[in-house]
Amino acid sequence: DTAVSQTPKYLVTQMGNDKSIKCEQNLGHDTMYWYKQDSKKFLKIMFSYNNKELIINETVPNRFSPKSPDKAHLNLHINSLELGDSAVYFCASSQDEVPGNEQFFGPGTRLTVL
Amino acid sequence: AQSVTQLGSHVSVSEGALVLLRCNYSSSVPPYLFWYVQYPNQGLQLLLKYTSAATLVKGINGFEAEFKKSETSFHLTKPSAHMSDAAEYFCAVSPNTGGFKTIFGAGTRLFVKA
C-alpha cells in the first residue's frame, strides 16, 4: 500500500499550458506539503496545509495554486507554465504540524516544460 | 533564522570503507535535526532524527549521527559502506519553538566504489 502517492509520475508539456499534479496520502496525517526539487537536487518548500488550511506559503509565483479538498489530498495546479518550472515536485505529509515530526514523501512528479 | 549546511556536494568511498557525511546547523536553540536519503528516482525517506533524547542517534541501514552542540554539527556516519548506500543524502532542521518549516540542506551525493 502506497503511503503518499502522486500522479502523474512524468509530465511533459508546452510552455503556456496549465497542468495539475495530484497527491493523496493514506496515513491519516493532518499536514501535507509541496516541495520543488531543482536539477541540482536543491529541495525547497512551496506550500503546507494543515487540516485543509494553508499554513506555509513561500515566495512562489501566483501561477501556482494548491488546493486541499480534504486532509488526505493536496493538489497543485500550475497556470501558464514556464521553462523554469521544469523540476521534480514532491508531495509529503506528516502527522501534524508539531516540530520534529517525520515527513513522508511521495515518489515525485517530474515536470518538463518545452 | 535557521539554516543547515552540508559540506561536500559529492562524497566517494570504497565499498567497506567508513562513510562520513557532514552537516552543520545554525539555530539559536537546539533544533530538531534529520537525515533523509533519496535513492534514484524516488522520494526522500527518513534515516534518523534527533529530538534531544540522546546525542547519538541510530537510524536504519546501519547509519548513525551524533549531535554536537558545541560544534553545531550533526554528521552522519556508517562504519562500512555498501553499494546499496549510493544515494543522495539530505540533512534537515526543524525549529522547536514557533514556525514549522523544515529546512533542507543542499544534499550530498554518496558514490560507493566496488
Side-chain angles (χ1 to χ4, degrees):
Chain A
D1 288 341
T2 305
V4 181
S5 59
Q6 296 178 228
T7 54
K9 190 168 175 63
Y10 299 96
L11 186 53
V12 181
T13 187
Q14 299 286 334
M15 242 181 356
N17 284 350
D18 303 338
K19 291 293 179 186
S20 292
I21 306 172
K22 295 187 176 182
C23 177
E24 176 181 2
Q25 54 95 3
N26 62 6
L27 297 167
H29 288 168
D30 293 329
T31 305
M32 295 184 72
Y33 312 81
W34 276 111
Y35 287 89
K36 179 181 181 181
Q37 186 176 49
D38 63 24
S39 58
K40 295 185 178 178
K41 300 292 187 181
F42 186 69
L43 198 65
K44 183 179 177 183
I45 189 164
M46 301 172 69
F47 303 102
S48 175
Y49 272 71
N50 179 259
N51 279 318
K52 302 194 297 175
E53 298 285 331
L54 181 66
I55 55 171
I56 295 175
N57 185 353
E58 288 298 284
T59 307
V60 175
N62 57 15
R63 298 182 294 104
F64 291 79
S65 53
K67 279 193 171 54
S68 182
D70 54 62
K71 73 174 193 178
H73 295 84
L74 180 61
N75 303 322
L76 183 66
H77 188 76
I78 316 169
N79 289 326
S80 303
L81 278 155
E82 300 177 357
L83 293 176
D85 297 332
S86 294
V88 181
Y89 292 84
F90 286 100
C91 177
S93 72
S94 63
Q95 179 67 39
D96 51 37
E97 58 182 341
V98 172
N101 276 335
E102 172 187 1
Q103 292 186 28
F104 292 78
F105 284 78
T109 295
R110 183 175 294 275
L111 172 64
T112 302
V113 183
L114 303 175
Chain B
Q2 305 213 326
S3 66
V4 61
T5 302
Q6 292 184 240
L7 300 173
S9 58
H10 297 85
V11 170
S12 183
V13 300
S14 297
E15 195 172 20
L18 172 72
V19 175
L20 171 61
L21 305 182
R22 300 176 189 273
C23 172
N24 287 88
Y25 70 90
S26 171
S27 176
S28 55
V29 295
Y32 294 106
L33 293 159
F34 308 80
W35 276 100
Y36 284 84
V37 61
Q38 183 181 25
Y39 297 104
N41 299 314
Q42 294 186 28
L44 281 70
Q45 62 185 82
L46 184 72
L47 268 180
L48 49 83
K49 69 175 180 180
Y50 168 76
T51 57
S52 77
T55 56
L56 183 62
V57 182
K58 293 189 184 300
I60 61 171
N61 300 339
F63 283 93
E64 62 181 37
E66 186 173 8
F67 173 73
K68 291 187 176 180
K69 184 179 177 182
S70 60
E71 298 177 8
T72 61
S73 69
F74 190 57
H75 300 334
L76 181 71
T77 60
K78 181 174 180 178
S80 176
H82 192 273
M83 297 296 286
S84 60
D85 295 326
E88 191 88 23
Y89 291 80
F90 293 90
C91 183
V93 61
S94 176
N96 63 9
T97 56
F100 306 107
K101 188 168 64 175
T102 299
I103 306 295
F104 286 84
T108 298
R109 181 69 184 269
L110 176 66
F111 296 91
V112 182
K113 299 174 290 187

